[in-house]
Amino acid sequence: MTNEGFLVVPDSAAVEGGTLTYRVRLPWYRSLPLSAVEDIAVAVDGADVPADRIRIRVNGGEYKTKDLHERWEDIWFIQDEATIVVPDPGTDAPERSVMTRIALRSPYIMIGPDTPLVTHSTKTHTFHLEGAAQ
């Protein structure tokens, strides 16, 4: 039901003011409330980004992962891209290898008593950047 090949939008990365941003797509076959996002993990050039430093921009707002569980009225539509915002390591390297993992809870597929299905989608993508250290 997920296609990790479509998770990260190629050529969408930008570095500005010590921040790395790139776009992702919802790794599911239908739109979900933001509260269905259980976790987002990111590693840049092999170094894990602390959870409290990861943000997602979607529907005009910017949120920490821990705050998404309250966003049950905000829908991440299947056709909309979201932006991941993390600190950039600040190297002069023209590339960043970025691992993205998104865990989604399906609120309508139960796999046990009071246990919804949780899917994990992971994609590592190398972004080619111009003027990476800024």
Side-chain angles (χ1 to χ4, degrees):
M1 288 188 209
T2 66
N3 186 337
E4 287 143 353
F6 291 108
L7 177 63
V8 175
V9 178
D11 301 323
S12 67
V15 174
E16 186 176 332
T19 300
L20 171 67
T21 61
Y22 62 97
R23 294 190 314 273
V24 295
R25 295 182 189 96
L26 182 66
W28 194 240
Y29 70 99
R30 65 187 299 182
S31 303
L32 290 171
L34 291 180
S35 61
V37 178
E38 289 227 333
D39 189 40
I40 300 172
V42 176
V44 179
D45 294 335
D48 291 340
V49 176
D52 65 337
R53 305 285 311 272
I54 300 170
R55 306 279 190 284
I56 184 169
R57 291 181 190 153
V58 63
N59 297 340
E62 183 171 307
Y63 311 100
K64 292 182 180 181
T65 304
K66 70 178 185 74
D67 297 328
L68 293 176
H69 73 278
E70 300 171 358
R71 311 300 308 178
W72 54 272
E73 291 183 344
D74 288 334
I75 305 298
W76 186 356
F77 293 98
I78 190 71
Q79 68 271 27
D80 293 343
E81 296 172 351
T83 300
I84 300 293
V85 180
V86 295
D88 183 65
T91 68
D92 290 327
E95 298 179 340
R96 299 288 186 278
S97 176
V98 179
M99 182 283 303
T100 306
R101 182 180 314 113
I102 298 179
L104 292 175
R105 180 182 59 258
S106 174
Y108 50 86
I109 300 176
M110 303 305 284
I111 59 172
D114 299 320
T115 307
L117 174 70
V118 177
T119 60
H120 301 267
S121 299
T122 303
K123 175 71 175 174
T124 299
H125 184 80
T126 299
F127 290 105
H128 302 280
L129 305 170
E130 300 214 10
Q134 296 182 16

